[in-house]
Amino acid sequence: MHDDDARFLAHAVRLSREHMNEGAGGPFGAVIVRDGKVLAEGWNQVTSANDPTAHAEVVAIRRACQAVGDFSLKGAVLYTSCEPCPMCLASAYWARVARIVYANTRADAAAIGFDDSFIYDEIPKAPEARSLPITHQPNADAKAVFEAWLNKPDRVAY
């Protein structure tokens, strides 16, 4: 554990309690830190923003990327009051954070009604085996857009 981990994790936990008490959403908070500096904070806003993607980690990642003017958070640490759900974990990978430090486990979250095990179980299944119907409909125009992207001289790879 790094020296500042306890301090920044406590910050994320404070955010979770403060914004839960204010009615912003569920009991989750997150902080993005790089080089000892807080880049952004986030807290669950699912119910207050009517946005199922407004989890604390996603909100913090969005704000941090805006703050630094980049989609990459290389070298940053995500401190979160709870083990990230599949969406938040994927977001952290896409943002290229260096580490994640969390307090409560996903089992702790499940015990209070935030059970992500169904999603974790669905992800490794083949698309046709998932409970959410997914249909692959090949489309020549969609394929052409991908080919145009590949040949776009000014594309920004991510």
Side-chain angles (χ1 to χ4, degrees):
M1 188 179 260
H2 293 73
D3 293 340
D4 290 331
D5 284 352
R7 179 168 56 101
F8 290 122
L9 188 57
H11 185 150
V13 171
R14 277 192 306 275
L15 289 170
S16 72
R17 180 182 298 278
E18 176 184 332
H19 294 284
M20 174 195 68
N21 287 341
E22 290 175 356
F28 305 98
V31 181
I32 306 280
V33 177
R34 185 162 53 197
D35 299 325
K37 179 182 179 243
V38 173
L39 299 179
E41 301 173 339
W43 49 88
N44 184 285
Q45 299 174 39
V46 169
T47 56
S48 60
N50 294 318
D51 180 353
T53 69
H55 290 200
E57 298 90 340
V58 171
V59 171
I61 288 168
R62 289 173 179 161
R63 289 177 175 170
C65 288
Q66 289 294 311
V68 301
D70 196 348
F71 57 82
S72 174
L73 296 174
K74 278 189 176 179
V77 179
L78 168 59
Y79 294 92
T80 179
S81 62
C82 187
E83 182 178 356
C85 75
M87 175 184 67
C88 294
L89 182 59
S91 298
Y93 275 104
W94 277 111
R96 295 164 177 80
V97 299
R99 292 188 308 127
I100 298 172
V101 179
Y102 65 92
N104 294 318
T105 68
R106 63 183 179 188
D108 297 329
I112 64 162
F114 296 93
D115 190 353
D116 298 323
S117 61
F118 173 75
I119 300 170
Y120 278 104
D121 292 344
E122 285 284 291
I123 289 172
K125 293 179 182 177
E128 63 277 2
R130 294 180 183 145
S131 65
L132 177 64
I134 301 173
T135 303
H136 176 220
Q137 183 69 46
N139 180 288
D141 288 338
K143 190 70 152 178
V145 172
F146 273 22
E147 291 169 9
W149 169 257
L150 191 59
N151 295 313
K152 191 175 185 322
D154 61 343
R155 77 174 186 264
V156 176
Y158 62 95

